[in-house]
């Protein structure tokens, strides 16, 4: 259909440029428009909400903590939006990164928290527990996508009655990899992208009596059906 992914914009070109669901730095969106493209912003509404909450905290002069992976496009966009209004914006991938900001937190005393939509609730709880004793004012927005939270909870319940969980979805998908991490703490878990990947796990499948299947948010329904059909054959 002529649709292609670009990492860098041509010097000048006309046509439509779609901003994907993870969002993008506002400066980049302006640059796209300036180069002559028609911009269609398809940033997920849940991701937009995180951006807006981060901006709100920055405007209110909180030290802004964005919990998530620094290299993830969603986090890059949230960070870029908040930094338009404050220099005190930091991406926190883990507790150790937060500990390095202890002095800054004690100096500013007002701390605001948002979290990448596909992160784990346990990560948010861990960070908030650490912040409570060292901050005078703490404002926390639980911006984890409700769909992600629900999927994680349902999958955890399924894992409790399964001796093997199969998670279907892209290896570069944050919500899918987090799902696999969560379930691996409960039962034997494998993460695959397509039905073809099942071949290397036939031994596990043959040994299992109860197999649970779940998938990431963007995994197509037909891929999930193919995986289930292949499991039944094995």
């Amino acid at each position: 259909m002529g649709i292609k992914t670009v990492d860098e914009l041509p010097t000048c070109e006309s046509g439509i440029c779609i901003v994907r669901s993870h969002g993008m730095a506002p400066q980049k969106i302006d640059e796209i428009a300036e180069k002559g493209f028609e911009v269609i912003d398809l940033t997920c509404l849940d991701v937009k909400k995180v951006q807006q909450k981060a901006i709100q905290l920055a405007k209110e002069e909180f030290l802004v903590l964005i919990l998530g992976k620094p290299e993830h496009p969603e986090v890059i966009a949230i960070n870029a939006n908040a930094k338009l209004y404050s220099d005190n914006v930091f991406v926190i991938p883990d507790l150790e990164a937060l500990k390095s900001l202890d002095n800054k937190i004690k100096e500013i005393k007002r701390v605001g928290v948002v979290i990448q939509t596909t992160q784990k609730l346990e990560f948010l709880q861990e960070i908030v527990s650490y912040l409570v004793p060292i901050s005078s004012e703490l404002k926390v927005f639980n911006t984890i996508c409700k769909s992600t939270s629900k999927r994680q909870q349902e999958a955890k319940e399924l894992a409790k009655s399964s001796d093997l969980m199969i998670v279907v979805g892209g290896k570069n998908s944050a919500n899918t990899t987090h799902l696999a991490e969560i379930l691996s703490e409960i039962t034997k878990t494998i993460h695959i992208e397509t039905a073809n990947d099942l071949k290397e796990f036939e031994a596990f499948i043959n040994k299992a009596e109860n197999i649970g299947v779940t998938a990431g948010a963007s995994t197509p329904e037909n891929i999930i059906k193919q995986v289930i059909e292949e499991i039944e054959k094995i």
Side-chain angles (χ1 to χ4, degrees), residues 31-175:
E31 184 185 343
I32 292 167
E34 287 167 7
K35 287 184 180 290
F37 290 93
E38 177 189 350
V39 181
I40 297 180
D41 187 354
L42 295 185
T43 304
C44 169
L45 293 179
D46 285 325
V47 174
K48 282 275 192 190
K49 187 172 100 174
V50 192
Q51 293 176 0
Q52 290 160 2
K53 294 299 185 185
I55 289 169
Q56 176 189 329
L57 291 168
K59 285 181 174 179
E60 293 175 357
E61 298 184 351
F62 281 81
L63 184 149
V64 183
L65 302 179
I66 303 166
L67 310 186
K69 295 183 176 180
E71 71 280 4
H72 194 282
E74 178 191 324
V75 175
I76 291 169
I78 296 165
N79 191 34
N81 274 274
K83 280 198 168 172
L84 290 175
Y85 304 92
S86 172
D87 291 328
N88 288 317
V89 180
F90 301 91
V91 176
I92 305 297
D94 52 41
L95 186 58
E96 288 307 308
L98 178 60
K99 288 178 180 178
S100 68
L101 291 174
D102 272 9
N103 291 335
K104 194 84 173 171
I105 292 167
K106 290 170 184 174
E107 174 194 337
I108 297 177
K109 297 180 181 178
R110 304 176 78 230
V111 182
V113 178
V114 296
I115 185 166
Q116 182 184 339
T117 58
T118 52
Q119 280 288 336
K120 296 184 285 187
L121 181 60
E122 291 82 357
F123 179 35
L124 178 61
Q125 291 169 331
E126 178 185 42
I127 296 299
V128 171
S129 295
Y130 184 83
L131 287 170
V132 168
I134 63 171
S135 55
S136 299
E137 186 177 350
L138 181 60
K139 187 176 280 191
V140 180
F141 292 110
N142 179 2
T143 48
I144 298 173
C145 168
K146 287 182 181 177
S147 173
T148 298
S149 295
K150 186 178 179 183
R151 181 179 294 103
Q152 289 177 357
Q153 194 54 47
E154 290 178 347
K156 277 160 57 171
E157 289 303 313
L158 182 60
K160 289 174 185 176
S161 59
S162 305
D163 46 12
L164 176 65
M165 284 296 293
I166 298 175
V167 181
V168 188
K171 295 289 177 70
N172 61 345
S173 162
N175 77 84

